[in-house]
Amino acid sequence: MAAVAPYSARAFAGGAPGWTAAAALAPASVVVTIGIVLPVVILFRYSLNQYTPAKMMVDAFTIENYAKFLTDPFYLAVLFRTIRVAALCTAICVVLAFPMAYCLARTRSRFKNLLLMAVILPLFVGNAVRAAGWMVLFGNRGFVNSILMGVGATREPLQIMYTEFAVVVGIIAVNLPFVVLTLQAVLEGIDRAIEEAALGLGAGPWRTFRHVVLPLAMPGVIAGTILSFILAMNAYATPVLLGGPTFQMMGPTVYNQFAGLSNWPFGAAMSFVLMTATLLLIVTSNWLAQARYRR
Amino acid sequence: MAQGAIGAPAGLAAGRAPVLDSRWILRIALLGAAALGYAVILTPIVFVCWLSFFANEIVTFPPQGYTLRWFAHIFDQNNFVSGFITSLQVGIAAMIGGLALGVPASLVLARRKFPGREALNTLLLLPLVVPGIVAGTAIYVFQIEIEIATEWPLLGSLTGLVLAHIMITIPWTVRLLSASLSGFDRSIEEAAQNLGATPPQAFLKVTLPVIKPGVVAAALFGFIISFGNLEMTLFLVAPGQTTLPIAILQYLQWRIDPTIAAVSLLQIVLIGAGMLVTDRYVKLTRVL
């Protein structure tokens, strides 16, 4: 290594960052800074502007948009509904994902790759397409109602579409693959011998899970929870298609402020309320979980 | 959780019948729970695919028969055809842009130590953590401002869409290349140079073949991510300039029928094929 240092120091491949390295890094960094960081900063600035119906947006430096959101019962209800749905979906996702991830991590089946693909493919199929699948099931003449009416369980079709149930199921289906993959990656890294040792020393399967597997898998559980919560808080296609106009969540409401009402300052403020609420909840729950974990 | 629940050496519990029984119950419960999870993930996709073959146009169960005519019907629907073409153009352009910007940057990031390296890495991955709705609103507002300032009709144009989509292809390129470079031993490059190769030669003949799978994966993955993006793109499309996922969303807000299911099935097949090819180059599970 020392012998080649004089050569490699100047080489393209190594040494201190020279002009080549700077030239390689600069374009991407500049593009990301201008393309997304700057727009987000501008959006934040706009959230402090004023909205008037005649002139749309007036330069100002006010927190009235945030105050309006936090005092309007309608918007607060949308925010709390979004938080409730996101928390519920995330809890169910983690519980459902753990057995899947565990089986995937421990299986020696030759179909393991196929089973993994079955988790990954839906990630790329698009939320709208998956919502369409639930629409086929949940519609008034959909699969579920046809079965229920066919066996005589109900005479009138049950209203499943445009309910919280439909939205929760839809979001769970969207988020579950993310949580499974996060957990599976962590579980793969836990040595099977550790579990066997716990069992060999007399711990039952439940105690082994509770005191050995779960603590070791905790980083994965936390990462999966955060990911699922963020995705659910920002969901758009699923609440629009399965919740409809009667079950409103934050994502579609923010969109409407821009596309429907052209109220940029308020829409921008809503975006930041949504992001801040998401971050605050994550930080708080993380802190609570860690405090409990230490005890 | 049952010990080594799947493929566990059953001999360990031999001779202790009650324990064996409870383990079997746990193992079946575990598999049952996993199967339930798979059902939740796959059910909507199965039903969309099923619907695309229904003979009746209005969704009723059981279907009155099966037909393939909806697949031909897609091509009469102009918004799907033009949406597909737009998505294809945007996806390819954003993929190329993501590679051109992301590959050199990640090569430097993955192989050199310098102050600020972590910060730059975070910056390039940042677009992934900005929620789609926020990114969409921010870029929408920004493009309108540029349009006002320069009179360049950016919003709703193909260029505007591509520029926004590059924001999501760059982080994936960086992520995939970092994954494929993580096992790269730089001493082989130095060895090549010791044996008389010039630095560019060492790069072309030694480094490039090593990162090729990562680059191919980043290309396909960038395309898939761009092709399927919905939340951010929603703000940036204009009438007549819509991507396929948004054409699907807008149609579904109005009605659901076998035509839209056929469109969805084609999209699933296309993306599935892309994924299988990508997986040959870089194991998808390593980068997600």
Side-chain angles (χ1 to χ4, degrees):
Chain A
M1 177 68 204
V4 296
Y7 298 97
S8 63
R10 283 190 308 270
F12 187 84
W19 285 108
T20 359
L25 276 170
S29 312
V30 170
V31 166
V32 170
T33 308
I34 295 179
I36 187 110
V37 177
L38 185 61
V40 170
V41 171
I42 292 176
L43 188 71
F44 180 68
R45 178 64 192 84
Y46 282 3
S47 74
L48 304 171
N49 279 348
Q50 243 170 355
Y51 173 80
T52 58
K55 293 172 80 179
M56 309 292 258
M57 188 164 72
V58 182
D59 270 338
F61 207 79
T62 168
I63 56 161
E64 71 179 43
N65 297 302
Y66 292 95
K68 180 183 167 193
F69 184 94
L70 295 173
T71 50
D72 188 317
F74 173 77
Y75 292 116
L76 278 182
V78 174
L79 178 64
F80 285 123
R81 186 181 303 132
T82 307
I83 293 173
R84 186 180 68 220
V85 168
L88 185 63
C89 291
T90 302
I92 298 174
C93 269
V94 172
V95 172
L96 270 178
F98 209 100
M100 286 177 76
Y102 188 85
C103 289
L104 277 171
R106 289 288 180 261
T107 184
R108 290 169 188 159
S109 159
R110 60 201 169 94
F111 297 116
K112 178 172 178 170
N113 218 23
L114 194 72
L115 287 169
L116 272 172
M117 277 292 173
V119 176
I120 298 172
L121 173 73
L123 279 180
F124 296 107
V125 167
N127 300 349
V129 169
R130 279 181 285 170
W134 293 116
M135 289 162 85
V136 178
L137 269 117
F138 292 159
N140 278 352
R141 282 195 274 180
F143 187 74
V144 173
N145 271 320
S146 300
I147 298 245
L148 287 178
M149 284 155 78
V151 299
T154 167
R155 198 168 294 169
E156 290 292 306
L158 281 180
Q159 182 65 41
I160 313 176
M161 282 293 286
Y162 311 130
T163 64
E164 182 163 354
F165 173 80
V167 176
V168 167
V169 170
I171 294 179
I172 290 171
V174 170
N175 290 5
L176 194 52
F178 287 102
V179 186
V180 171
L181 291 172
T182 315
L183 275 173
Q184 185 246 346
V186 175
L187 288 170
E188 293 270 7
I190 300 175
D191 196 336
R192 197 187 292 251
I194 298 174
E195 276 168 64
E196 279 163 15
L199 288 159
L201 291 169
W206 173 249
R207 281 183 69 195
T208 306
F209 167 73
R210 178 78 183 71
H211 294 285
V212 178
V213 181
L214 191 60
L216 287 172
M218 220 44 191
V221 174
I222 292 171
T225 306
I226 292 174
L227 185 60
S228 165
F229 190 72
I230 293 178
L231 287 169
M233 288 291 283
N234 293 290
Y236 181 84
T238 316
V240 161
L241 293 176
L242 299 177
T246 52
F247 191 83
Q248 292 191 355
M249 284 175 64
M250 282 297 279
T253 314
V254 171
Y255 176 75
N256 272 346
Q257 286 299 324
F258 282 91
L261 307 168
S262 296
N263 190 341
W264 288 10
F266 191 54
M270 279 177 81
S271 294
F272 281 94
V273 168
L274 177 60
M275 244 188 351
T276 314
T278 311
L279 285 176
L280 274 181
L281 286 164
I282 287 169
V283 171
T284 320
S285 55
N286 222 347
W287 179 71
L288 284 175
Q290 275 183 355
R292 220 189 122 179
Y293 199 52
R294 248 182 256 122
R295 233 181 318 126
Chain B
M1 214 70 22
Q3 170 245 353
I6 293 175
L12 271 181
R16 286 186 287 164
V19 179
L20 188 67
D21 279 348
S22 76
R23 279 195 186 160
W24 269 104
I25 292 167
L26 274 166
R27 186 175 162 167
I28 288 166
L30 182 67
L31 285 175
L36 178 67
Y38 268 104
V40 172
I41 292 178
L42 296 175
T43 300
I45 294 173
V46 169
F47 272 85
V48 165
C49 295
W50 187 16
L51 177 65
S52 65
F53 300 108
F54 276 27
N56 39 310
E57 192 169 359
I58 291 167
V59 182
T60 50
F61 285 90
Q64 286 150 16
Y66 293 97
T67 172
L68 286 173
R69 74 188 159 109
W70 307 115
F71 289 91
H73 191 59
I74 295 171
F75 299 98
D76 306 333
Q77 306 263 332
N78 200 26
N79 49 339
F80 291 136
V81 179
S82 72
F84 177 78
I85 292 169
T86 306
S87 285
L88 209 60
Q89 288 170 326
V90 171
I92 290 170
M95 167 192 94
I96 293 170
L99 287 181
L101 294 164
V103 172
S106 41
L107 277 176
V108 175
L109 281 176
R111 302 185 309 161
R112 293 195 192 214
K113 301 258 183 297
F114 56 90
R117 179 173 163 270
E118 275 303 305
L120 273 178
N121 199 32
T122 311
L123 173 72
L124 294 186
L125 293 177
L126 195 67
L128 288 185
V129 283
V130 179
I133 285 283
V134 177
T137 49
I139 294 176
Y140 167 79
V141 164
F142 188 57
Q143 291 195 350
I144 289 187
E145 287 297 327
I146 291 179
E147 214 173 303
I148 292 170
T150 64
E151 292 187 6
W152 175 30
L154 193 59
L155 187 73
S157 71
L158 213 53
T159 320
L161 277 175
V162 171
L163 287 176
H165 277 224
I166 286 177
M167 294 307 129
I168 46 175
T169 53
I170 287 178
W172 282 106
T173 306
V174 171
R175 218 168 162 171
L176 278 150
L177 270 174
S178 310
S180 74
L181 276 170
S182 61
F184 181 67
D185 185 353
R186 235 176 56 197
S187 61
I188 60 167
E189 245 175 15
E190 284 161 4
Q193 289 177 33
N194 271 357
L195 293 169
T198 62
Q201 273 179 332
F203 178 76
L204 282 177
K205 299 219 161 134
V206 178
T207 317
L208 203 59
V210 176
I211 63 165
K212 203 176 124 195
V215 174
V216 173
L220 285 160
F221 213 78
F223 177 78
I224 292 172
I225 289 287
S226 159
F227 195 89
N229 184 276
L230 199 149
E231 275 87 354
M232 183 187 79
T233 316
L234 198 62
F235 292 87
L236 308 173
V237 294
Q241 187 75 265
T242 302
T243 62
L244 183 59
I246 290 171
I248 291 177
L249 178 78
Q250 286 170 347
Y251 191 94
L252 282 170
Q253 278 182 276
W254 174 54
R255 64 182 299 188
I256 178 156
D257 59 22
T259 308
I260 192 74
V263 173
S264 303
L265 179 63
L266 282 187
Q267 200 199 345
I268 293 169
V269 169
L270 190 82
I271 289 174
M275 265 183 52
L276 285 175
V277 178
T278 312
D279 194 59
R280 290 182 67 94
Y281 289 95
V282 166
K283 283 279 157 251
L284 288 173
T285 44
R286 272 181 55 197
V287 292
L288 283 169

